[in-house]
Amino acid sequence: MRARLRARAESDGFVFHTRARFGFAAPAGSSDDPRVRLITQYLSGEVARELFAARDAGGGEQQQMVILARALGHAYFRDGGRRAHGLGIAFTDVEFADFSID
């Protein structure tokens, strides 16, 4: 069962649902500054492969958080790479994180 779910996540992607402090490392008061947000976002199979590879190589939670922050920033704020180039992403104070594979 786990192998099938992993294969599906790696091929089709997954939905990441979280409540965390998330935003650009930007001055306070900007529309995208870090604040607690409830986010439900589709992430690609490439992200799933990167997360599994990090875990399989012994990478810890911090490394996986960096991968998720980059992927969320790309999908959620950067609109798939169409805007906000060069701004750092802040992803901290995670209250919960849930993954679903359709």
Side-chain angles (χ1 to χ4, degrees):
M1 179 70 154
R2 283 185 180 177
R4 283 186 295 193
L5 287 174
R6 178 178 176 161
R8 203 151 96 212
E10 289 179 341
S11 67
D12 301 338
F14 62 99
V15 174
F16 182 56
H17 184 65
T18 188
R19 182 171 166 88
R21 185 168 304 281
F22 180 60
F24 287 124
S30 77
S31 64
D32 294 332
D33 67 327
R35 63 180 180 269
V36 175
R37 301 171 193 261
L38 182 62
I39 298 170
T40 301
Q41 181 66 52
Y42 165 80
L43 297 174
S44 71
E46 180 180 332
V47 175
R49 288 188 297 278
E50 192 174 354
L51 286 167
F52 282 120
R55 186 197 68 187
D56 294 347
E61 183 177 322
Q62 185 59 37
Q63 183 180 2
Q64 292 176 346
M65 295 299 281
V66 168
I67 294 166
L68 286 168
R70 183 174 25 82
L72 277 175
H74 183 74
Y76 187 84
F77 282 123
R78 292 194 173 102
D79 194 23
R82 291 186 279 273
R83 69 178 199 99
H85 303 282
L87 296 175
I89 296 293
F91 183 59
T92 61
D93 305 329
V94 177
E95 294 178 18
F96 72 87
D98 187 37
F99 303 83
S100 63
I101 303 165
D102 292 328

